[in-house]
Amino acid sequence: MRLVFLGPPGAGKGTQADLLSEKTGLPHISPGDMFRRAVKEGSELGRKVKEYMDGGLLVPDDVTVGVIRERMLEPDCAAGFILDGFPRNMRQAEALDVMMSEAGVRLDAAVNFEVPFDILVERSVGRRVCRGCGATYHLRHNPPRAEGICDECGGELVQRDDDREETVKERLSVYSRETRPLVEYYREKGILVSVNGDQALDAVAAELASVLRDLAERPR
Ligand code: ADP
Ligand code: AMP
């Protein structure tokens, strides 16, 4: 399946993409994760993207589209993928359409994770990520077994630089301005499906699985 995950920052896209990837083997492609890795490594890409990320702004389209285009050509994407956090504006959505038609394939669905705006700041501010493997936790909603330590790899859990309250608010306003219009874009294409992201993590995963099952059974 070729899936795009839509939704505001903190909606739970990365968490659900990780779970679905584990279950299905589909690669989880997140430009945010790729950029954070590049910043950590101090690569040229990392130097290019850092100031945008720290400010809660979108990295320029030429850089982002280039990174995604290259990633999508890797053999593990041939049978499908979960795109989490791309596209994030209309130009990226059009670039993705071009990539899909060049490859002679199409998206199966854009999954919109719906979460009331007022809980998103708390979701992001309470997020903790593993410095080692990147696994995601939440101080209240999805805590690790031992405080500050990753269940998966024993790495140290830290707050993302862009998860401080002021930056989260900026990211939410960037979302409203640039990304939310994509919900209509995919609705008009007839591939939008919605999942209620305002429920316990397992319940979201179950609803997502059911939506994807329905989709697989639908004649195309
Ligand atoms: P996104 O990738 O959409 O920015 P994440 O998957 O990183 O969002 O989730 C944001 C934060 O909310 C994380 O700390 C995560 O552990 C937590 N979270 C994810 N899903 C849920 C949920 N259904 N209920 C409560 N907290 C959640
Ligand atoms: P995320 O991990 O999805 O929350 O993204 C973290 C940050 O990475 C964003 O605030 C942007 O600065 C950058 N980023 C991630 N995805 C994109 C994208 N599709 N286009 C531009 N910038 C992005």
Side-chain angles (χ1 to χ4, degrees):
M1 278 195 141
R2 296 179 179 84
L3 302 172
V4 161
F5 278 10
L6 288 176
K13 302 179 297 296
T15 300
Q16 295 300 328
D18 271 341
L19 291 170
L20 186 64
S21 172
E22 228 168 82
K23 206 164 96 177
T24 60
L26 290 172
H28 169 194
I29 302 175
S30 152
D33 285 348
M34 293 161 87
F35 292 153
R36 274 185 290 281
R37 213 170 307 130
V39 170
K40 193 167 137 194
E41 287 163 359
S43 67
E44 195 189 328
L45 173 66
R47 281 192 295 277
K48 258 190 225 165
V49 303
K50 186 171 185 331
E51 66 177 288
Y52 298 101
M53 297 180 83
D54 286 349
L57 303 173
L58 294 187
V59 168
D61 291 335
D62 57 336
V63 176
T64 308
V65 169
V67 163
I68 293 297
R69 178 182 284 280
E70 206 173 294
R71 179 65 186 88
M72 303 275 277
L73 291 173
E74 307 253 335
D76 64 337
C77 290
F81 49 76
I82 308 162
L83 265 178
D84 155 26
F86 183 94
R88 247 171 155 114
N89 62 27
M90 209 54 104
R91 287 170 306 280
Q92 294 182 8
E94 285 162 4
L96 179 60
D97 288 345
V98 172
M99 284 181 230
M100 296 289 93
S101 71
E102 279 172 0
V105 297
R106 57 185 176 179
L107 291 174
D108 292 288
V111 182
N112 187 31
F113 289 86
E114 293 181 337
V115 176
F117 240 63
D118 55 352
I119 69 166
L120 291 169
V121 172
E122 192 262 351
R123 284 260 185 109
S124 288
V125 170
R127 172 163 48 195
R128 294 295 179 268
V129 294
C130 175
R131 214 192 265 286
C133 70
T136 301
Y137 299 85
H138 190 281
L139 291 178
R140 278 185 50 213
H141 308 303
N142 184 26
R145 285 193 291 272
E147 196 184 322
I149 296 171
C150 179
D151 293 349
E152 309 285 328
C153 75
E156 182 195 3
L157 300 186
V158 295
Q159 187 180 41
R160 274 169 44 175
D161 287 341
D162 61 351
D163 273 343
R164 292 171 215 286
E165 189 162 337
E166 281 319 300
T167 318
V168 170
K169 288 184 174 156
E170 178 62 32
R171 287 162 57 211
L172 287 171
S173 98
V174 169
Y175 167 80
S176 297
R177 216 170 42 238
E178 304 233 15
T179 313
R180 194 156 46 195
L182 298 184
V183 173
E184 280 316 308
Y185 182 77
Y186 287 115
R187 199 194 310 278
E188 278 167 21
K189 283 180 174 283
I191 58 168
L192 186 79
V193 292
S194 291
V195 167
N196 175 13
D198 186 18
Q199 3 174 25
L201 233 129
D202 292 351
V204 179
E207 188 178 327
L208 174 63
S210 145
V211 161
L212 296 181
R213 247 193 327 272
D214 289 350
L215 210 73
E217 285 164 9
R218 207 163 66 184
R220 299 201 60 180

